[in-house]
Amino acid sequence: RMSRHAKKLRDHDVNPCLAETDASTKCMDDNNYKKDMCTDYFLKYKNCRKFWHGIMMQRKRNGVKPEMPSAEERKKILESMG
């Protein structure tokens, strides 16, 4: 049984980088946990976190709730950026 925290991290509305998280984990599993084989996945995850953290901080400063846009809203943000 998953903890409440673990469940939250599996929620697309809470974790904007779920796909990157899963890809990194799968890469590690597939490559016998050799980190150097998964550098690209880690970088994508890091960039994803950095990007959405910036959006979150901006929304926080502007008093926008919720601070993390929903999965649907994030999709629109990404589409608007091309």
Side-chain angles (χ1 to χ4, degrees):
R1 204 184 131 111
M2 276 198 282
S3 71
R4 203 162 64 222
H5 179 70
K7 239 188 223 121
K8 239 170 99 171
L9 292 177
R10 299 297 314 157
D11 182 342
H12 282 281
D13 284 327
V14 176
N15 182 356
C17 302
L18 198 53
E20 291 79 0
T21 303
D22 290 348
S24 296
T25 304
K26 184 181 180 334
C27 180
M28 289 291 280
D29 289 344
D30 293 349
N31 290 288
N32 208 20
Y33 295 87
K34 292 192 183 98
K35 284 186 179 171
D36 56 332
M37 302 288 284
C38 302
T39 313
D40 288 349
Y41 292 99
F42 297 148
L43 194 60
K44 280 181 188 155
Y45 172 78
K46 194 173 152 190
N47 289 336
C48 178
R49 293 297 307 169
K50 201 162 141 188
F51 176 79
W52 289 113
H53 181 74
I55 298 272
M56 211 168 82
M57 295 315 286
Q58 192 181 341
R59 286 168 66 105
K60 194 175 191 168
R61 278 193 299 275
N62 297 337
V64 178
K65 297 275 182 204
E67 286 159 10
M68 178 56 71
S70 69
E72 192 54 44
E73 205 178 336
R74 288 196 310 268
K75 195 174 150 199
K76 288 178 184 147
I77 291 170
L78 292 174
E79 284 168 0
S80 76
M81 296 174 72

